């Protein structure tokens, strides 16, 4: 696992972001953060948790946002550290990411590995977004990782899930994108329970619909695809 500070202004609050598979900081650098320092965790080829011991001492408030496969990774790795977070939000992911009813079905996940290519990676990016403007914005800031690196991460995630199984629920807030074509919305809702999640009209990659990370933390009502 790797970390990157996207914003560091010595604010009183910090947002810890667990990204999804295949990501790096590039797509997220353009999203502003006014009131939070922001550190991103990505690349799950290994599940060695970065040293977080200094964060609670350095910040008055520490917030967690996990997205896609990062929901499972955060739930697995931070279960014993839940008390250090002021808020914890899951976005378009579940605690059982490879699951026919509550995640991505096993056949689809295995097919992603067996047929992986640069072309299929581009198809995945397209499926993450639902409108042309957001897709063009993403492609202008697309991840810069090598395909073989991204495939290795996908294989490692499958192996790790088979080894560890479902993660623990450390999230007080769960956001489900009704237009998600990666983690089907019905599976997400089934996983969390209808009464425990907030459904918004968003694709799998929803981040360009919030004006800033601050708006994401403020509440799903601020979401406006653009």
């Amino acid at each position: 696992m790797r970390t990157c500070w996207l914003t560091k202004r010595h604010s009183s609050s910090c947002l810890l972001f667990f990204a999804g598979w295949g990501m790096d900081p590039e797509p997220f650098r353009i999203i502003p953060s006014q009131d939070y320092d922001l550190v991103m965790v990505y690349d799950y080829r290994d599940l060695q948790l970065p040293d977080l011991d200094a964060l609670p001492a350095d910040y008055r408030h520490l917030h967690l946002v996990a997205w896609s496969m990062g929901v499972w990774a955060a739930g697995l790795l931070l279960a014993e550290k839940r008390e250090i977070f002021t808020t914890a939000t899951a976005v378009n992911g579940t605690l059982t990411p490879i699951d026919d009813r509550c995640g991505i079905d096993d056949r689809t996940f295995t097919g992603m590995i067996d047929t992986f290519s640069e072309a299929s990676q581009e198809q995945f990016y397209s499926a993450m977004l639902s409108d042309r403007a957001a897709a063009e914005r993403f492609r202008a800031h697309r991840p810069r990782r090598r395909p073989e690196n991204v495939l290795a991460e996908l294989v490692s995630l499958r192996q790790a899930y088979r080894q560890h199984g479902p993660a623990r629920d450390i999230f007080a807030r769960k956001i489900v994108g009704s237009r998600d074509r990666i983690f089907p919305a019905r599976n997400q809702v089934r996983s969390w329970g209808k009464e425990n999640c907030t459904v918004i009209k968003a694709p799998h990659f929803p981040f360009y619909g919030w004006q800033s990370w601050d708006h994401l933390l403020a509440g799903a009502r601020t979401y406006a695809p653009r």
Side-chain angles (χ1 to χ4, degrees):
M1 294 167 64
R2 303 175 65 183
T3 60
C4 175
W5 285 95
L6 297 179
T7 304
K8 195 170 188 181
R9 304 192 193 97
H10 303 289
S11 301
S12 62
S13 298
C14 179
L15 193 160
L16 177 65
F17 172 50
F18 271 63
W21 163 68
M23 293 295 109
D24 70 10
E26 294 307 312
F28 305 95
R29 293 188 192 277
I30 59 174
I31 306 172
S33 176
Q34 280 87 38
D35 294 333
Y36 304 94
D37 285 355
L38 174 59
V39 61
M40 173 179 171
V41 178
Y42 64 103
D43 190 353
Y44 304 113
R45 284 178 292 173
D46 71 75
L47 291 178
Q48 185 65 41
L49 184 67
D51 184 8
L52 303 177
D53 291 341
L55 290 179
D58 290 344
Y59 293 97
R60 186 177 304 168
H61 299 289
L62 185 59
H63 302 269
L64 172 66
V65 173
W67 168 57
S68 192
M69 292 298 294
V71 172
W72 174 77
L76 179 72
L77 298 173
L78 300 176
E80 304 304 323
K81 296 179 179 289
R82 174 63 183 90
E83 70 281 355
I84 72 175
F85 296 104
T86 304
T87 65
T89 303
V91 181
N92 283 344
T94 71
L95 306 174
T96 53
I98 308 175
D99 186 273
D100 291 355
R101 289 178 50 80
C102 296
I104 301 172
D105 70 82
D106 185 78
R107 183 176 179 180
T108 297
F109 201 97
T110 299
M112 290 167 62
I113 294 173
D114 293 343
T115 63
F116 184 84
S117 65
E118 289 190 54
S120 67
Q121 189 175 359
E122 289 298 323
Q123 291 171 357
F124 179 84
Y125 290 156
S126 296
M128 288 198 310
L129 298 133
S130 60
D131 69 85
R132 183 176 299 176
E136 290 177 354
R137 193 177 184 192
F138 179 86
R139 288 194 177 92
H141 304 276
R142 56 172 293 155
R144 297 179 179 177
R145 293 172 57 185
R146 297 188 304 274
E148 61 271 20
N149 178 299
V150 174
L151 174 58
E153 182 185 7
L154 193 62
V155 172
S156 294
L157 281 166
R158 182 177 65 175
Q159 293 173 341
Y161 182 69
R162 287 176 174 176
Q163 177 183 353
H164 297 286
R168 285 171 56 183
D169 186 1
I170 63 172
F171 303 99
R173 181 174 169 226
K174 294 92 170 178
I175 298 175
V176 175
S178 64
R179 296 177 174 176
D180 195 328
R181 291 188 288 164
I182 306 301
F183 274 81
R186 64 182 180 277
N187 286 10
Q188 292 185 57
V189 172
R190 185 183 293 123
S191 173
W192 300 120
K194 185 181 298 185
E195 68 283 359
N196 298 321
C197 58
T198 300
V199 179
I200 62 174
K201 192 178 293 185
H204 184 65
F205 185 97
F207 297 98
Y208 297 157
W210 285 290
Q211 295 180 24
S212 66
W213 292 98
D214 307 65
H215 283 79
L216 190 164
L217 288 178
R221 64 185 180 278
T222 65
Y223 189 85
R226 55 191 174 87

